[in-house]
Amino acid sequence: MPRILAFVHIFVESARLDEVVRALQRLPNIEELSDVTGEFDIVSVVSAKDLEEFRDVLKNKIMKIGGV
């Protein structure tokens, strides 16, 4: 069954960038992470089996990381 792949742009408190990257790397749904310049601080590729799991990852994992 196909999985959802989504680019997620993340704003991060600049002093906590390294901490946020380490926390994101521990999440199994994160396929890729890139530091970027410009409007966002990190662009990630998030995978999920369906929209419900994707929303759960965003709301209950990524958005709960301190500094995001």
Side-chain angles (χ1 to χ4, degrees):
M1 175 174 246
R3 292 181 64 80
I4 293 171
L5 284 177
F7 289 97
V8 177
H9 300 170
I10 303 170
F11 293 103
V12 179
E13 294 174 19
S14 59
R16 299 182 79 178
L17 184 62
D18 291 338
E19 174 187 344
V20 170
V21 167
R22 284 191 299 274
L24 288 168
Q25 288 173 328
R26 290 191 292 269
L27 297 178
N29 295 83
I30 301 292
E31 301 293 331
E32 294 181 36
L33 283 175
S34 297
D35 289 343
V36 295
T37 59
E39 189 175 348
F40 305 100
D41 302 303
I42 296 173
V43 174
S44 63
V45 176
V46 177
S47 68
K49 65 181 177 192
D50 54 29
L51 193 54
E52 184 177 330
E53 181 182 27
F54 177 70
R55 288 179 179 155
D56 179 64
V57 170
L58 286 179
K59 180 181 175 188
N60 297 314
K61 295 180 180 161
I62 294 173
M63 293 178 68
K64 291 200 175 177
I65 295 171
V68 170

Short mmCIF file of all heavy atoms in Angstrom, two decimals:
data_model
loop_
_atom_site.label_atom_id
_atom_site.label_comp_id
_atom_site.label_asym_id
_atom_site.label_seq_id
_atom_site.Cartn_x
_atom_site.Cartn_y
_atom_site.Cartn_z
N MET A 1 0.84 -1.18 0.00
CA MET A 1 0.00 0.00 0.00
C MET A 1 0.89 1.25 0.00
O MET A 1 1.85 1.33 0.77
CB MET A 1 -0.90 -0.02 1.24
CG MET A 1 -1.72 1.23 1.40
SD MET A 1 -2.88 1.08 2.77
CE MET A 1 -4.37 1.13 1.84
N PRO A 2 0.59 2.23 -0.83
CA PRO A 2 1.42 3.44 -0.89
C PRO A 2 1.37 4.24 0.41
O PRO A 2 0.35 4.29 1.08
CB PRO A 2 0.83 4.25 -2.04
CG PRO A 2 -0.38 3.55 -2.50
CD PRO A 2 -0.50 2.26 -1.77
N ARG A 3 2.48 4.84 0.73
CA ARG A 3 2.56 5.70 1.90
C ARG A 3 2.51 7.15 1.46
O ARG A 3 2.86 7.49 0.34
CB ARG A 3 3.87 5.44 2.66
CG ARG A 3 3.91 4.06 3.29
CD ARG A 3 5.18 3.81 4.06
NE ARG A 3 5.40 4.65 5.21
CZ ARG A 3 4.85 4.49 6.41
NH1 ARG A 3 4.01 3.50 6.61
NH2 ARG A 3 5.15 5.28 7.40
N ILE A 4 2.09 8.00 2.37
CA ILE A 4 2.12 9.45 2.15
C ILE A 4 3.54 9.94 2.40
O ILE A 4 4.17 9.56 3.39
CB ILE A 4 1.15 10.16 3.12
CG1 ILE A 4 -0.29 9.80 2.81
CG2 ILE A 4 1.36 11.66 3.07
CD1 ILE A 4 -1.27 10.30 3.85
N LEU A 5 4.03 10.77 1.51
CA LEU A 5 5.30 11.48 1.72
C LEU A 5 4.99 12.96 1.61
O LEU A 5 4.36 13.39 0.65
CB LEU A 5 6.34 11.10 0.68
CG LEU A 5 7.01 9.76 0.83
CD1 LEU A 5 7.97 9.51 -0.33
CD2 LEU A 5 7.76 9.66 2.14
N ALA A 6 5.41 13.74 2.61
CA ALA A 6 5.11 15.17 2.62
C ALA A 6 6.33 15.96 3.03
O ALA A 6 7.07 15.56 3.94
CB ALA A 6 3.96 15.46 3.57
N PHE A 7 6.54 17.10 2.36
CA PHE A 7 7.56 18.05 2.79
C PHE A 7 6.95 18.89 3.90
O PHE A 7 5.87 19.44 3.73
CB PHE A 7 7.99 18.97 1.64
CG PHE A 7 8.79 18.27 0.59
CD1 PHE A 7 8.19 17.80 -0.56
CD2 PHE A 7 10.16 18.09 0.76
CE1 PHE A 7 8.93 17.16 -1.53
CE2 PHE A 7 10.91 17.45 -0.21
CZ PHE A 7 10.29 16.98 -1.37
N VAL A 8 7.64 18.97 5.02
CA VAL A 8 7.16 19.77 6.16
C VAL A 8 8.21 20.82 6.45
O VAL A 8 9.38 20.49 6.72
CB VAL A 8 6.91 18.88 7.40
CG1 VAL A 8 6.49 19.72 8.58
CG2 VAL A 8 5.85 17.82 7.09
N HIS A 9 7.81 22.08 6.38
CA HIS A 9 8.71 23.20 6.68
C HIS A 9 8.54 23.56 8.14
O HIS A 9 7.41 23.72 8.62
CB HIS A 9 8.36 24.40 5.81
CG HIS A 9 8.48 24.12 4.35
ND1 HIS A 9 8.03 24.99 3.40
CD2 HIS A 9 9.00 23.08 3.67
CE1 HIS A 9 8.27 24.50 2.20
NE2 HIS A 9 8.86 23.33 2.34
N ILE A 10 9.65 23.70 8.86
CA ILE A 10 9.61 23.86 10.31
C ILE A 10 10.37 25.12 10.72
O ILE A 10 11.51 25.33 10.32
CB ILE A 10 10.23 22.63 11.00
CG1 ILE A 10 9.50 21.35 10.56
CG2 ILE A 10 10.19 22.79 12.52
CD1 ILE A 10 10.19 20.06 11.00
N PHE A 11 9.72 25.95 11.53
CA PHE A 11 10.36 27.10 12.17
C PHE A 11 10.96 26.62 13.48
O PHE A 11 10.32 25.88 14.23
CB PHE A 11 9.35 28.20 12.50
CG PHE A 11 8.75 28.85 11.30
CD1 PHE A 11 7.46 28.54 10.91
CD2 PHE A 11 9.45 29.81 10.58
CE1 PHE A 11 6.88 29.15 9.81
CE2 PHE A 11 8.89 30.43 9.49
CZ PHE A 11 7.60 30.10 9.10
N VAL A 12 12.18 27.06 13.79
CA VAL A 12 12.86 26.64 15.01
C VAL A 12 13.47 27.85 15.71
O VAL A 12 14.00 28.74 15.05
CB VAL A 12 14.00 25.63 14.68
CG1 VAL A 12 14.73 25.20 15.94
CG2 VAL A 12 13.45 24.42 13.94
N GLU A 13 13.37 27.88 17.05
CA GLU A 13 14.09 28.90 17.81
C GLU A 13 15.57 28.68 17.54
O GLU A 13 16.09 27.58 17.74
CB GLU A 13 13.81 28.74 19.30
CG GLU A 13 12.39 29.02 19.71
CD GLU A 13 12.13 28.70 21.17
OE1 GLU A 13 13.11 28.61 21.96
OE2 GLU A 13 10.96 28.54 21.52
N SER A 14 16.26 29.71 17.07
CA SER A 14 17.63 29.54 16.57
C SER A 14 18.58 28.92 17.61
O SER A 14 19.42 28.11 17.25
CB SER A 14 18.18 30.86 16.06
OG SER A 14 18.18 31.83 17.08
N ALA A 15 18.43 29.26 18.86
CA ALA A 15 19.32 28.72 19.89
C ALA A 15 19.10 27.23 20.13
O ALA A 15 19.94 26.57 20.72
CB ALA A 15 19.12 29.49 21.20
N ARG A 16 17.98 26.69 19.64
CA ARG A 16 17.65 25.29 19.90
C ARG A 16 17.72 24.41 18.65
O ARG A 16 17.25 23.28 18.67
CB ARG A 16 16.26 25.22 20.52
CG ARG A 16 16.20 25.98 21.85
CD ARG A 16 14.88 25.89 22.51
NE ARG A 16 14.76 24.61 23.17
CZ ARG A 16 13.69 24.25 23.87
NH1 ARG A 16 12.68 25.08 24.01
NH2 ARG A 16 13.62 23.08 24.43
N LEU A 17 18.33 24.91 17.61
CA LEU A 17 18.35 24.19 16.33
C LEU A 17 18.95 22.79 16.46
O LEU A 17 18.35 21.81 16.01
CB LEU A 17 19.10 25.00 15.26
CG LEU A 17 19.11 24.39 13.87
CD1 LEU A 17 17.70 24.26 13.31
CD2 LEU A 17 19.96 25.23 12.94
N ASP A 18 20.10 22.67 17.08
CA ASP A 18 20.75 21.35 17.21
C ASP A 18 19.88 20.38 18.01
O ASP A 18 19.75 19.21 17.64
CB ASP A 18 22.12 21.48 17.87
CG ASP A 18 23.13 22.17 16.97
OD1 ASP A 18 22.94 22.19 15.74
OD2 ASP A 18 24.12 22.70 17.51
N GLU A 19 19.29 20.86 19.08
CA GLU A 19 18.41 20.04 19.92
C GLU A 19 17.19 19.55 19.12
O GLU A 19 16.80 18.39 19.20
CB GLU A 19 17.96 20.90 21.10
CG GLU A 19 16.94 20.31 22.01
CD GLU A 19 16.46 21.34 23.04
OE1 GLU A 19 17.11 22.39 23.24
OE2 GLU A 19 15.41 21.07 23.63
N VAL A 20 16.60 20.44 18.33
CA VAL A 20 15.44 20.08 17.52
C VAL A 20 15.82 19.05 16.46
O VAL A 20 15.11 18.07 16.24
CB VAL A 20 14.80 21.33 16.89
CG1 VAL A 20 13.73 20.95 15.86
CG2 VAL A 20 14.19 22.22 17.97
N VAL A 21 16.94 19.25 15.81
CA VAL A 21 17.40 18.30 14.79
C VAL A 21 17.59 16.92 15.40
O VAL A 21 17.15 15.92 14.83
CB VAL A 21 18.70 18.79 14.11
CG1 VAL A 21 19.34 17.68 13.28
CG2 VAL A 21 18.41 20.00 13.24
N ARG A 22 18.20 16.83 16.56
CA ARG A 22 18.40 15.53 17.22
C ARG A 22 17.06 14.88 17.55
O ARG A 22 16.88 13.67 17.34
CB ARG A 22 19.25 15.68 18.48
CG ARG A 22 20.72 15.87 18.21
CD ARG A 22 21.56 15.75 19.48
NE ARG A 22 21.21 16.75 20.48
CZ ARG A 22 21.73 17.97 20.53
NH1 ARG A 22 22.63 18.35 19.64
NH2 ARG A 22 21.38 18.82 21.48
N ALA A 23 16.10 15.66 18.03
CA ALA A 23 14.78 15.11 18.36
C ALA A 23 14.07 14.61 17.09
O ALA A 23 13.44 13.54 17.10
CB ALA A 23 13.93 16.16 19.07
N LEU A 24 14.17 15.38 16.03
CA LEU A 24 13.53 14.96 14.77
C LEU A 24 14.16 13.69 14.22
O LEU A 24 13.47 12.81 13.70
CB LEU A 24 13.63 16.08 13.73
CG LEU A 24 12.74 17.29 13.98
CD1 LEU A 24 13.15 18.44 13.06
CD2 LEU A 24 11.27 16.95 13.79
N GLN A 25 15.47 13.56 14.34
CA GLN A 25 16.16 12.37 13.84
C GLN A 25 15.72 11.10 14.55
O GLN A 25 15.82 10.02 13.98
CB GLN A 25 17.68 12.54 13.97
CG GLN A 25 18.24 13.54 13.00
CD GLN A 25 19.71 13.83 13.24
OE1 GLN A 25 20.19 13.79 14.38
NE2 GLN A 25 20.41 14.16 12.17
N ARG A 26 15.21 11.23 15.75
CA ARG A 26 14.74 10.05 16.50
C ARG A 26 13.34 9.59 16.08
O ARG A 26 12.92 8.50 16.44
CB ARG A 26 14.76 10.34 18.00
CG ARG A 26 16.16 10.44 18.58
CD ARG A 26 16.15 10.47 20.10
NE ARG A 26 15.56 11.67 20.65
CZ ARG A 26 16.23 12.78 20.97
NH1 ARG A 26 17.53 12.83 20.76
NH2 ARG A 26 15.61 13.81 21.48
N LEU A 27 12.62 10.42 15.33
CA LEU A 27 11.27 10.06 14.92
C LEU A 27 11.31 9.12 13.72
O LEU A 27 11.93 9.44 12.70
CB LEU A 27 10.46 11.30 14.57
CG LEU A 27 10.21 12.31 15.69
CD1 LEU A 27 9.45 13.51 15.15
CD2 LEU A 27 9.46 11.67 16.83
N PRO A 28 10.66 7.97 13.80
CA PRO A 28 10.73 7.01 12.69
C PRO A 28 10.05 7.50 11.40
O PRO A 28 10.36 7.01 10.33
CB PRO A 28 10.02 5.77 13.24
CG PRO A 28 9.17 6.27 14.35
CD PRO A 28 9.86 7.47 14.91
N ASN A 29 9.16 8.46 11.50
CA ASN A 29 8.46 8.96 10.32
C ASN A 29 9.27 9.98 9.53
O ASN A 29 8.87 10.36 8.44
CB ASN A 29 7.11 9.58 10.71
CG ASN A 29 6.18 8.57 11.29
OD1 ASN A 29 6.26 8.27 12.48
ND2 ASN A 29 5.31 8.01 10.48
N ILE A 30 10.37 10.44 10.08
CA ILE A 30 11.20 11.42 9.38
C ILE A 30 12.13 10.68 8.42
O ILE A 30 12.98 9.91 8.84
CB ILE A 30 12.02 12.28 10.37
CG1 ILE A 30 11.11 13.02 11.34
CG2 ILE A 30 12.94 13.24 9.60
CD1 ILE A 30 10.26 14.11 10.72
N GLU A 31 11.93 10.93 7.14
CA GLU A 31 12.75 10.26 6.11
C GLU A 31 14.00 11.06 5.78
O GLU A 31 15.04 10.49 5.50
CB GLU A 31 11.92 10.05 4.83
CG GLU A 31 10.68 9.21 5.03
CD GLU A 31 10.97 7.77 5.36
OE1 GLU A 31 12.02 7.24 4.93
OE2 GLU A 31 10.14 7.15 6.06
N GLU A 32 13.89 12.40 5.78
CA GLU A 32 15.01 13.28 5.46
C GLU A 32 14.88 14.58 6.23
O GLU A 32 13.77 15.02 6.52
CB GLU A 32 15.04 13.61 3.97
CG GLU A 32 15.31 12.45 3.06
CD GLU A 32 15.34 12.86 1.60
OE1 GLU A 32 15.83 13.97 1.30
OE2 GLU A 32 14.87 12.07 0.77
N LEU A 33 16.02 15.19 6.53
CA LEU A 33 16.06 16.51 7.18
C LEU A 33 17.09 17.37 6.46
O LEU A 33 18.17 16.89 6.13
CB LEU A 33 16.52 16.39 8.64
CG LEU A 33 15.54 15.91 9.67
CD1 LEU A 33 16.25 15.77 11.00
CD2 LEU A 33 14.38 16.84 9.79
N SER A 34 16.74 18.63 6.26
CA SER A 34 17.69 19.56 5.65
C SER A 34 17.59 20.90 6.35
O SER A 34 16.50 21.42 6.57
CB SER A 34 17.36 19.78 4.16
OG SER A 34 17.49 18.58 3.45
N ASP A 35 18.75 21.45 6.74
CA ASP A 35 18.80 22.83 7.22
C ASP A 35 18.71 23.71 5.98
O ASP A 35 19.36 23.44 4.97
CB ASP A 35 20.14 23.12 7.91
CG ASP A 35 20.28 22.43 9.24
OD1 ASP A 35 19.28 21.98 9.80
OD2 ASP A 35 21.43 22.35 9.72
N VAL A 36 17.91 24.75 6.07
CA VAL A 36 17.76 25.66 4.93
C VAL A 36 17.84 27.10 5.42
O VAL A 36 17.70 27.37 6.62
CB VAL A 36 16.41 25.43 4.19
CG1 VAL A 36 16.38 24.05 3.55
CG2 VAL A 36 15.22 25.61 5.11
N THR A 37 18.07 28.00 4.49
CA THR A 37 18.04 29.42 4.82
C THR A 37 16.78 30.01 4.21
O THR A 37 16.19 29.44 3.31
CB THR A 37 19.27 30.15 4.26
OG1 THR A 37 19.29 29.99 2.85
CG2 THR A 37 20.56 29.60 4.86
N GLY A 38 16.38 31.13 4.74
CA GLY A 38 15.18 31.77 4.21
C GLY A 38 14.05 31.75 5.22
O GLY A 38 14.27 31.86 6.42
N GLU A 39 12.86 31.55 4.73
CA GLU A 39 11.66 31.65 5.56
C GLU A 39 11.59 30.57 6.64
O GLU A 39 11.09 30.80 7.73
CB GLU A 39 10.43 31.59 4.67
CG GLU A 39 9.14 31.89 5.39
CD GLU A 39 7.95 31.94 4.46
OE1 GLU A 39 8.14 31.97 3.23
OE2 GLU A 39 6.84 31.94 4.97
N PHE A 40 12.08 29.37 6.36
CA PHE A 40 12.02 28.26 7.31
C PHE A 40 13.43 27.89 7.74
O PHE A 40 14.40 28.28 7.11
CB PHE A 40 11.34 27.05 6.67
CG PHE A 40 9.98 27.35 6.12
CD1 PHE A 40 9.80 27.58 4.77
CD2 PHE A 40 8.89 27.44 6.96
CE1 PHE A 40 8.55 27.87 4.26
CE2 PHE A 40 7.63 27.74 6.47
CZ PHE A 40 7.46 27.95 5.11
N ASP A 41 13.53 27.10 8.80
CA ASP A 41 14.83 26.67 9.31
C ASP A 41 15.17 25.25 8.89
O ASP A 41 16.33 24.91 8.68
CB ASP A 41 14.86 26.78 10.83
CG ASP A 41 14.56 28.20 11.29
OD1 ASP A 41 15.29 29.11 10.86
OD2 ASP A 41 13.59 28.40 12.03
N ILE A 42 14.15 24.39 8.83
CA ILE A 42 14.33 22.98 8.49
C ILE A 42 13.24 22.58 7.50
O ILE A 42 12.08 22.97 7.65
CB ILE A 42 14.22 22.07 9.73
CG1 ILE A 42 15.35 22.36 10.73
CG2 ILE A 42 14.23 20.59 9.34
CD1 ILE A 42 15.19 21.62 12.05
N VAL A 43 13.63 21.77 6.52
CA VAL A 43 12.65 21.12 5.64
C VAL A 43 12.83 19.62 5.88
O VAL A 43 13.94 19.10 5.80
CB VAL A 43 12.86 21.47 4.16
CG1 VAL A 43 11.91 20.66 3.28
CG2 VAL A 43 12.64 22.96 3.93
N SER A 44 11.73 18.96 6.19
CA SER A 44 11.80 17.52 6.42
C SER A 44 10.86 16.80 5.46
O SER A 44 9.90 17.37 4.96
CB SER A 44 11.40 17.19 7.86
OG SER A 44 10.07 17.56 8.10
N VAL A 45 11.17 15.54 5.22
CA VAL A 45 10.27 14.67 4.47
C VAL A 45 9.70 13.70 5.50
O VAL A 45 10.43 12.98 6.17
CB VAL A 45 11.00 13.91 3.34
CG1 VAL A 45 10.05 12.95 2.65
CG2 VAL A 45 11.60 14.89 2.35
N VAL A 46 8.38 13.72 5.62
CA VAL A 46 7.68 12.91 6.61
C VAL A 46 6.88 11.84 5.87
O VAL A 46 6.18 12.14 4.90
CB VAL A 46 6.73 13.78 7.47
CG1 VAL A 46 5.95 12.91 8.45
CG2 VAL A 46 7.52 14.85 8.20
N SER A 47 6.96 10.60 6.34
CA SER A 47 6.17 9.52 5.74
C SER A 47 5.12 9.06 6.75
O SER A 47 5.30 9.16 7.96
CB SER A 47 7.07 8.35 5.35
OG SER A 47 7.59 7.72 6.49
N ALA A 48 4.01 8.58 6.21
CA ALA A 48 2.93 8.06 7.04
C ALA A 48 2.10 7.08 6.21
O ALA A 48 2.06 7.18 4.98
CB ALA A 48 2.05 9.20 7.55
N LYS A 49 1.44 6.15 6.90
CA LYS A 49 0.63 5.17 6.17
C LYS A 49 -0.66 5.78 5.63
O LYS A 49 -1.22 5.31 4.66
CB LYS A 49 0.34 3.95 7.03
CG LYS A 49 -0.52 4.23 8.23
CD LYS A 49 -0.76 2.99 9.07
CE LYS A 49 -1.56 3.40 10.28
NZ LYS A 49 -1.62 2.37 11.28
N ASP A 50 -1.14 6.84 6.32
CA ASP A 50 -2.37 7.50 5.89
C ASP A 50 -2.42 8.91 6.48
O ASP A 50 -1.54 9.31 7.24
CB ASP A 50 -3.62 6.69 6.29
CG ASP A 50 -3.69 6.36 7.78
OD1 ASP A 50 -3.15 7.15 8.60
OD2 ASP A 50 -4.27 5.33 8.12
N LEU A 51 -3.45 9.65 6.13
CA LEU A 51 -3.58 11.03 6.58
C LEU A 51 -3.71 11.12 8.11
O LEU A 51 -3.17 12.04 8.73
CB LEU A 51 -4.78 11.69 5.91
CG LEU A 51 -4.88 13.19 6.02
CD1 LEU A 51 -3.62 13.89 5.55
CD2 LEU A 51 -6.07 13.70 5.23
N GLU A 52 -4.37 10.17 8.71
CA GLU A 52 -4.53 10.17 10.17
C GLU A 52 -3.17 10.06 10.87
O GLU A 52 -2.88 10.80 11.81
CB GLU A 52 -5.44 9.02 10.60
CG GLU A 52 -5.74 9.01 12.07
CD GLU A 52 -6.71 7.90 12.46
OE1 GLU A 52 -7.56 7.52 11.63
OE2 GLU A 52 -6.60 7.41 13.59
N GLU A 53 -2.34 9.15 10.41
CA GLU A 53 -1.01 9.02 11.00
C GLU A 53 -0.17 10.27 10.74
O GLU A 53 0.54 10.74 11.63
CB GLU A 53 -0.27 7.80 10.44
CG GLU A 53 1.10 7.63 11.07
CD GLU A 53 1.90 6.46 10.50
OE1 GLU A 53 1.68 6.08 9.33
OE2 GLU A 53 2.75 5.96 11.24
N PHE A 54 -0.26 10.85 9.55
CA PHE A 54 0.47 12.07 9.24
C PHE A 54 0.08 13.19 10.20
O PHE A 54 0.94 13.87 10.75
CB PHE A 54 0.20 12.48 7.78
CG PHE A 54 0.86 13.77 7.40
CD1 PHE A 54 2.23 13.86 7.27
CD2 PHE A 54 0.09 14.90 7.19
CE1 PHE A 54 2.84 15.06 6.92
CE2 PHE A 54 0.68 16.10 6.84
CZ PHE A 54 2.06 16.18 6.71
N ARG A 55 -1.21 13.39 10.40
CA ARG A 55 -1.67 14.44 11.33
C ARG A 55 -1.19 14.17 12.75
O ARG A 55 -0.82 15.09 13.47
CB ARG A 55 -3.19 14.53 11.29
CG ARG A 55 -3.71 15.14 10.03
CD ARG A 55 -5.21 15.19 10.00
NE ARG A 55 -5.69 15.82 8.78
CZ ARG A 55 -6.86 15.60 8.25
NH1 ARG A 55 -7.72 14.79 8.83
NH2 ARG A 55 -7.22 16.21 7.14
N ASP A 56 -1.18 12.90 13.15
CA ASP A 56 -0.70 12.54 14.48
C ASP A 56 0.79 12.89 14.63
O ASP A 56 1.20 13.43 15.66
CB ASP A 56 -0.93 11.05 14.74
CG ASP A 56 -0.42 10.63 16.10
OD1 ASP A 56 -0.97 11.12 17.12
OD2 ASP A 56 0.54 9.83 16.16
N VAL A 57 1.57 12.58 13.63
CA VAL A 57 3.01 12.90 13.67
C VAL A 57 3.21 14.40 13.81
O VAL A 57 4.00 14.86 14.63
CB VAL A 57 3.73 12.35 12.42
CG1 VAL A 57 5.16 12.88 12.34
CG2 VAL A 57 3.74 10.84 12.42
N LEU A 58 2.48 15.18 13.01
CA LEU A 58 2.61 16.63 13.09
C LEU A 58 2.20 17.17 14.46
O LEU A 58 2.95 17.89 15.11
CB LEU A 58 1.76 17.32 12.02
CG LEU A 58 2.26 17.25 10.60
CD1 LEU A 58 1.28 17.95 9.67
CD2 LEU A 58 3.63 17.86 10.46
N LYS A 59 1.00 16.81 14.88
CA LYS A 59 0.41 17.39 16.10
C LYS A 59 1.05 16.87 17.38
O LYS A 59 1.31 17.64 18.31
CB LYS A 59 -1.09 17.09 16.11
CG LYS A 59 -1.81 17.63 17.31
CD LYS A 59 -3.29 17.28 17.26
CE LYS A 59 -3.99 17.72 18.53
NZ LYS A 59 -5.36 17.22 18.59
N ASN A 60 1.29 15.57 17.45
CA ASN A 60 1.71 14.96 18.71
C ASN A 60 3.20 14.65 18.82
O ASN A 60 3.65 14.22 19.87
CB ASN A 60 0.90 13.69 18.96
CG ASN A 60 -0.56 14.00 19.12
OD1 ASN A 60 -0.94 14.93 19.85
ND2 ASN A 60 -1.41 13.27 18.42
N LYS A 61 3.92 14.83 17.72
CA LYS A 61 5.37 14.59 17.79
C LYS A 61 6.16 15.81 17.39
O LYS A 61 6.84 16.40 18.22
CB LYS A 61 5.72 13.37 16.92
CG LYS A 61 5.07 12.11 17.47
CD LYS A 61 5.39 10.89 16.67
CE LYS A 61 4.69 9.69 17.31
NZ LYS A 61 4.56 8.59 16.43
N ILE A 62 6.05 16.24 16.14
CA ILE A 62 6.87 17.36 15.67
C ILE A 62 6.55 18.65 16.43
O ILE A 62 7.45 19.32 16.94
CB ILE A 62 6.71 17.56 14.15
CG1 ILE A 62 7.29 16.36 13.40
CG2 ILE A 62 7.39 18.86 13.70
CD1 ILE A 62 7.04 16.36 11.91
N MET A 63 5.28 18.99 16.53
CA MET A 63 4.91 20.26 17.16
C MET A 63 5.11 20.28 18.67
O MET A 63 5.07 21.33 19.29
CB MET A 63 3.46 20.62 16.80
CG MET A 63 3.32 20.93 15.31
SD MET A 63 1.64 21.29 14.80
CE MET A 63 1.39 22.86 15.63
N LYS A 64 5.37 19.13 19.27
CA LYS A 64 5.61 19.07 20.71
C LYS A 64 7.08 19.10 21.07
O LYS A 64 7.45 19.08 22.23
CB LYS A 64 4.92 17.85 21.31
CG LYS A 64 3.41 18.00 21.26
CD LYS A 64 2.70 17.12 22.21
CE LYS A 64 1.22 17.46 22.14
NZ LYS A 64 0.42 16.61 22.97
N ILE A 65 7.94 19.15 20.07
CA ILE A 65 9.38 19.26 20.33
C ILE A 65 9.66 20.70 20.79
O ILE A 65 9.27 21.65 20.13
CB ILE A 65 10.19 18.94 19.06
CG1 ILE A 65 9.99 17.47 18.67
CG2 ILE A 65 11.67 19.24 19.28
CD1 ILE A 65 10.58 17.11 17.31
N GLY A 66 10.34 20.81 21.90
CA GLY A 66 10.69 22.15 22.41
C GLY A 66 11.54 22.90 21.41
O GLY A 66 12.49 22.35 20.87
N GLY A 67 11.19 24.13 21.15
CA GLY A 67 11.94 24.96 20.21
C GLY A 67 11.31 25.03 18.83
O GLY A 67 11.71 25.84 18.00
N VAL A 68 10.33 24.17 18.58
CA VAL A 68 9.63 24.22 17.29
C VAL A 68 8.55 25.26 17.38
O VAL A 68 7.81 25.34 18.34
CB VAL A 68 9.03 22.84 16.93
CG1 VAL A 68 8.11 22.95 15.71
CG2 VAL A 68 10.13 21.85 16.67
#
